[in-house]
């Protein structure tokens, strides 16, 4: 039991941070929801910037959350575009600002963002579809950093992320191990 617990705790501590945005059809609207964290240690702080709101698939831009002042970080690699659509403003947005600038190899994060802190934001595009926004369904992965600073931004279009976060998996494994241990104590094996 001790070895299992140590392995679970070690794997939870070594998990990389990831920011995941899912863009899905929700009734008559398209909703982009992002959450996770960004390890900025493997990126270059390019200084202050500003960003708008919305999406431009052909230019590889996604502005999640409200637009405004942000800090630009350079050094990501990934696809230059994720569809053929032009620029579309969102109908509403909330949460933290996280901007993806694929062809410029940049991310925009809230001013004063502390590396590894939790982020979450949403955009809603009313009365449209994923195809109407010119988004191509699929998974688009942007990576940055290496070794201990390795991180990623994952964009799922028309798909929901079904993989549990590493920390959630570790907590589930810990809970199952505790239940197994408790069951063994409650019902010890009899020896003849």
């Amino acid at each position: 039991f001790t070895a299992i617990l140590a392995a679970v705790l070690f794997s939870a501590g070594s998990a990389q941070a990831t920011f995941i945005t899912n863009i899905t059809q929700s009734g008559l609207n398209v909703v982009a929801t992002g959450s996770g964290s960004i390890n900025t240690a493997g990126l270059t702080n390019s200084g202050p910037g500003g960003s708008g709101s919305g999406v431009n698939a052909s230019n590889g831009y996604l502005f999640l959350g409200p637009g405004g002042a942000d800090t630009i970080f350079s050094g990501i690699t990934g696809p230059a575009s994720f569809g053929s659509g032009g620029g579309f403003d969102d109908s509403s947005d909330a949460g933290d600002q996280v901007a993806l600038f694929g062809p410029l190899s940049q991310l925009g994060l809230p001013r004063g963002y502390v590396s590894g802190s939790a982020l979450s934001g949403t955009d809603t595009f009313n009365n449209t579809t994923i195809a109407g926004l010119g988004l191509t369904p699929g998974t688009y992965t942007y990576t940055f950093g290496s070794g201990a600073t390795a991180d990623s931004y994952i964009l799922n279009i028309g798909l929901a992320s079904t993989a549990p976060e590493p920390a959630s998996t570790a907590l589930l494994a810990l809970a199952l191990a505790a239940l197994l241990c408790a069951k063994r104590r409650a019902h010890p094996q009899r020896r003849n």
Side-chain angles (χ1 to χ4, degrees):
F1 173 74
T2 305
I4 293 171
L5 179 59
V8 168
L9 292 176
F10 176 74
S11 68
S14 63
Q16 74 177 31
T18 299
F19 189 85
I20 299 173
T21 298
N22 293 310
I23 300 178
T24 57
Q25 190 72 44
S26 179
L28 298 175
N29 305 325
V30 173
V31 178
T33 304
S35 65
S37 63
I38 302 284
N39 180 346
T40 60
L43 295 170
T44 301
N45 184 330
S46 298
S51 63
S53 62
V55 64
N56 187 320
S58 63
N59 288 333
Y61 295 168
L62 174 62
F63 304 98
L64 190 64
D70 59 6
T71 300
I72 303 298
F73 291 90
S74 300
I76 69 170
T77 59
S81 68
F82 39 86
S84 60
F88 294 92
D89 288 334
D90 57 38
S91 304
S92 63
D93 47 47
D96 297 310
Q97 173 184 336
V98 179
L100 172 65
F101 308 101
L104 299 176
S105 302
Q106 297 176 330
L107 290 174
L109 300 175
R111 288 239 174 113
Y113 176 71
V114 175
S115 181
S117 298
L119 293 163
S120 66
T122 62
D123 283 348
T124 301
F125 301 87
N126 290 341
N127 301 311
T128 191
T129 63
I130 289 173
L133 293 174
L135 303 174
T136 301
T139 297
Y140 302 85
T141 302
Y142 300 84
T143 59
F144 44 96
S146 62
T149 66
D151 204 351
S152 61
Y153 179 116
I154 298 172
L155 175 60
N156 293 310
I157 299 175
L159 312 166
S161 175
T162 57
E165 295 179 20
S168 300
T169 303
L171 287 174
L172 177 60
L174 182 61
L176 291 174
L179 286 172
L180 180 61
C181 184
K183 182 178 178 183
R184 285 187 178 171
R185 286 185 182 157
H187 302 290
Q189 293 180 344
R190 295 184 184 167
R191 296 182 184 203
N192 295 333

